Amino acid sequence: MFICLCQIGSHGSLTTLNPGLKRFFAIMMRTMSKLRSMRDAIAEFVPDGSSVAVGLQLEQMIPFAAGHEIIRQKKRDLRLIGPISDCLFDQLIGAGCVKDVVAAWVGNVMMGQAYNFRRAVEAGEVRVFNMTNFTIALGLQAGAIGVPFLPTRTARGSDVPKGNHFFYQIISPFEPKETLLAVRAIAPDITIVNVQRADAEGNAHCWGNFGVMLEAVRAAKKVIVVAEEIVEQEVIASDPNRTVIPGFLVSAVVHEPFGAHPSPVQGYYSRDSEFFRAYHAETKTPEDFVRWRSKWVDGVRDRSGYLRMLGSDRVNSLRVKKHAYSAPADYGY
Amino acid sequence: MRYTLGELMVAAAAREIREGEVVFVGMRLPLIAFIVAKQTHAPNCVGLFENGVIRTKPAAELIYTMADPPNLLHATQCLDMMGVMGLLQAGRVDLGFLGAAEVDRFGNLNSTQVQGEHGIVRLPGSGGACDIASLAHRFVAMIDHERHRLPERVGYITSPGNGNGAGYRKRVGLPRGGPSAVITTKAVLRFGEDGEAYLHSHHERISVEEVVASTGWKLRVANDAGETAPPSPDERRAIREYDKDGFWTS
């Protein structure tokens, strides 16, 4: 295998290989590649009872396609982890996939509250561990760097830490009169992120606002990367500062264009604000949500079906209207 | 009226921002307040957003969430939450704006759960509000002025204000900060040295009596309490240029 790779490297292209070697290489690449369909990735890496970190870049790049596949596969007893959730947690809760939530905010950002979340929490069906945005970041960072907790000065005198096992009051070992809060490390079973582009091994470029994605990827036991585009390894290697996920942390790569709709992906498509408004209007009661879900989630096989339902006019209206490329960076020497 | 209530509140919020300050902006009315301040009295203020975006120039278009693409284009920096929250904890942020379901006599905010007629009503939660209230040098809350939303004591402290009075923040280990104003749909409240809110100004056509009657505790009234200054022509222009259809301010 190693020899084969060296030969590829020196020739630079598959076409220069003899047919036997080419076939062998193709098989090898298939087994090495982490590319999966969304259906396979969710089936394999999101078992019932998992803790799932998702929606980590706040209102950008929310992996709705992954969430909808989780609903279609009727996953149960999940723990959802995230800073704020713009509708995705509400959908998973409404579909009965969720046991508890570790989050700072759950709702519909432009419209306010989300109904499934509210109903489920008020009925005691879903437990919430109230966090704050900063303490979610700290918990994931503790998980990412392999320590049991990180200290902070936030949330003192607030009710958020009360009766919440993610917090513990400690005294600074260096300033004995100083009390701090320890935030328990959070290590998700699986982190699902949406990015602009990745290669087949999961090395991923992302730009825009990161929220807590960087910590959540490193803290997780497994990572699914959902990418708008799959590119050659050389494209990712050309700009390593933009590589936010190294492939060795990644379990599966899913090529899913418009996988974050209705949330935006910078440089690919805008936010579909009308979709969030409609979700608010169309999911007020449990019966309303069942109707919404049977149309947009269970009524389609996959993301392509969802996009057909959305219609090409609407999809096209969300595409980038005016590109704004950054200046290239010179890595030469 | 020559201006809307939303415009009056935005103008009042904008004046809370001092020139050159670093501000945790938030969404809705405070976002527009930041834009107005930039275009009027505080051109050098800097805006921080919880998703990690730092802007010295406001987004060119109206945004509904802080991660809308126009808020990232030509940003000063696109960082992560740890970065901006770290700056906040280190004392590098002067002012933060917050909304809430309830605000009480000592400026504590609740956005987690309230007592309804049929039990607990669950709300979306803190987001970054608790962090901003805990760690900014001062914060300003904005809220609809209704008696049940301004109770004597909030049912749940999501975001700490002055707790139960002066000295509370130091006692519980908060490094700094506290509420400096509450801008409501009827009035502007400020805080005395004892940590308690008082009526600083009432909005046009709203009497002091109405403000007091719409407040869930015996609200003190400043001796010199007057009318909230209306938006200036420059402030109004900045608001209308940005929120063209009045989505947030009509």
Side-chain angles (χ1 to χ4, degrees):
Chain A
M1 195 184 278
F2 182 64
I3 295 163
C4 167
L5 276 174
C6 293
Q7 287 193 0
I8 305 289
S10 59
H11 292 286
S13 130
L14 275 174
T15 52
T16 56
L17 299 171
N18 73 54
L21 201 54
K22 193 172 164 184
R23 203 161 45 241
F24 170 67
F25 182 74
I27 292 165
M28 196 193 76
M29 278 307 287
R30 234 186 354 258
T31 49
M32 268 181 60
S33 165
K34 294 169 185 168
L35 281 170
R36 299 281 187 282
S37 67
M38 185 64 87
R39 190 174 304 140
D40 290 350
I42 297 299
E44 188 174 353
F45 296 110
V46 188
D48 288 351
S50 306
S51 57
V52 185
V54 66
L56 304 156
Q57 289 165 268
L58 284 79
E59 302 95 344
Q60 273 251 2
M61 302 187 214
I62 304 170
F64 276 99
H68 291 186
E69 187 56 32
I70 289 173
I71 295 173
R72 276 192 291 271
Q73 293 188 19
K74 299 188 170 58
K75 300 292 183 183
R76 289 293 176 267
D77 296 325
L78 302 180
R79 161 170 289 187
L80 301 181
I81 300 165
I84 68 138
S85 171
D86 201 359
C87 292
L88 180 56
F89 283 15
D90 189 68
Q91 294 171 9
L92 290 160
I93 290 167
C97 305
V98 180
K99 177 187 66 185
D100 58 31
V101 172
V102 183
W105 195 96
V106 180
N108 178 335
V109 172
M110 73 179 288
M111 303 307 296
Q113 65 175 313
Y115 298 102
N116 293 319
F117 168 71
R118 182 179 154 181
R119 269 193 297 273
V121 176
E122 289 173 7
E125 291 159 8
V126 165
R127 182 169 181 193
V128 184
F129 294 94
N130 287 309
M131 305 296 288
T132 72
N133 276 345
F134 189 24
T135 53
I136 276 278
L138 288 163
L140 289 167
Q141 175 71 351
I145 65 173
V147 293
F149 67 88
L150 280 172
T152 180
R153 298 177 194 278
T154 196
R156 311 299 314 280
S158 150
D159 286 336
V160 170
K162 287 187 183 157
N164 184 337
H165 76 226
F166 284 89
F167 297 96
Y168 197 82
Q169 187 174 306
I170 57 170
I171 295 166
S172 167
F174 303 109
E175 304 286 340
K177 283 184 184 158
E178 198 173 1
T179 55
L180 299 157
L181 272 184
V183 183
R184 181 187 291 260
I186 301 172
D189 292 324
I190 181 97
T191 286
I192 307 176
V193 291
N194 212 109
V195 300
Q196 280 98 341
R197 61 190 180 212
D199 66 25
E201 289 174 41
N203 300 296
H205 273 183
C206 185
W207 55 95
N209 68 111
F210 296 137
V212 299
M213 177 248 257
L214 305 175
E215 298 89 342
V217 162
R218 291 190 280 248
K221 298 182 186 82
K222 297 201 163 101
V223 175
I224 297 176
V225 170
V226 184
E228 293 296 325
E229 272 190 86
I230 302 298
V231 297
E232 296 298 322
Q233 206 164 13
E234 291 73 24
V235 175
I236 303 297
S238 74
D239 194 358
N241 277 110
R242 215 175 297 282
T243 306
V244 296
I245 305 171
F248 78 93
L249 296 178
V250 175
S251 297
V253 181
V254 178
H255 182 213
E256 194 80 292
F258 270 82
H261 176 274
S263 68
V265 175
Q266 198 79 19
Y268 287 73
Y269 45 92
S270 289
R271 178 184 159 88
D272 191 346
S273 293
E274 192 45 47
F275 200 93
F276 285 96
R277 262 195 208 109
Y279 181 77
H280 189 72
E282 292 166 6
T283 60
K284 285 203 163 82
T285 67
E287 298 73 38
D288 286 346
F289 178 72
V290 167
R291 254 192 307 278
W292 185 92
R293 175 189 160 184
S294 62
K295 178 180 178 187
W296 290 104
V297 183
D298 296 324
V300 297
R301 274 172 59 83
D302 52 20
R303 201 59 173 179
S304 328
Y306 173 98
L307 293 176
R308 275 196 298 279
M309 175 100 75
L310 202 59
S312 56
D313 286 354
R314 186 156 179 185
V315 169
N316 288 330
S317 75
L318 296 169
R319 289 187 201 279
V320 174
K321 291 185 185 60
K322 192 177 169 205
H323 289 284
Y325 294 100
S326 64
D330 186 358
Y331 283 91
Y333 58 92
Chain B
M1 219 184 275
R2 306 164 316 285
Y3 52 86
T4 68
L5 181 57
E7 289 171 341
L8 176 66
M9 291 173 73
V10 167
R15 291 177 212 134
E16 297 295 315
I17 301 172
R18 297 172 199 149
E19 169 60 336
E21 284 195 322
V22 178
V23 183
F24 241 98
V25 177
M27 290 309 302
R28 299 169 190 252
L29 300 187
L31 171 75
I32 305 172
F34 170 68
I35 289 161
V36 170
K38 290 277 319 174
Q39 291 182 12
T40 54
H41 65 277
N44 294 304
C45 62
V46 176
L48 263 56
F49 297 83
E50 291 162 58
N51 58 347
V53 170
I54 297 178
R55 294 199 72 103
T56 45
K57 258 172 67 181
E61 295 173 37
L62 181 79
I63 54 173
Y64 297 102
T65 81
M66 62 181 71
D68 283 10
N71 207 36
L72 275 58
L73 179 65
H74 298 144
T76 307
Q77 188 176 21
C78 280
L79 201 61
D80 56 5
M81 189 182 287
M82 188 67 88
V84 288
M85 286 294 182
L87 288 169
L88 177 70
Q89 180 167 254
R92 306 293 293 269
V93 176
D94 299 296
L95 171 65
F97 285 101
L98 301 170
E102 292 181 338
V103 55
D104 72 18
R105 184 174 179 168
F106 294 106
N108 304 298
L109 310 181
N110 177 8
S111 50
T112 303
Q113 58 188 43
V114 292
Q115 190 63 43
E117 277 175 40
H118 309 290
I120 294 282
V121 175
R122 174 68 209 201
L123 307 168
S126 161
C130 172
D131 307 310
I132 294 166
S134 297
L135 302 170
H137 282 276
R138 62 185 202 282
F139 72 84
V140 171
M142 298 183 81
I143 192 165
D144 285 348
H145 203 133
E146 297 167 49
R147 203 178 156 86
H148 71 279
R149 296 189 67 171
L150 282 84
E152 163 101 31
R153 179 87 180 153
V154 291
Y156 183 103
I157 300 181
T158 309
S159 309
N162 292 325
N164 53 12
Y168 175 85
R169 295 182 68 91
K170 192 159 189 238
R171 214 161 47 242
V172 297
L174 287 167
R176 64 184 82 84
S180 63
V182 178
I183 299 169
T184 78
T185 44
K186 294 183 192 296
V188 176
L189 314 184
R190 293 199 182 278
F191 292 82
E193 283 187 7
D194 56 0
E196 186 178 330
Y198 64 86
L199 178 66
H200 176 262
S201 70
H202 56 91
H203 301 342
E204 189 179 340
R205 296 187 195 180
I206 300 204
S207 66
V208 170
E209 293 70 31
E210 184 183 339
V211 175
V212 172
S214 311
T215 304
W217 70 91
K218 200 172 173 309
L219 180 67
R220 290 183 306 189
V221 179
N223 292 334
D224 58 350
E227 214 169 88
T228 311
S232 70
D234 283 347
E235 287 166 340
R236 271 209 318 274
R237 195 176 310 118
I239 294 167
R240 287 174 191 177
E241 261 173 30
Y242 183 75
D243 190 16
K244 289 187 182 72
D245 301 326
F247 184 85
W248 299 120
T249 52
S250 67

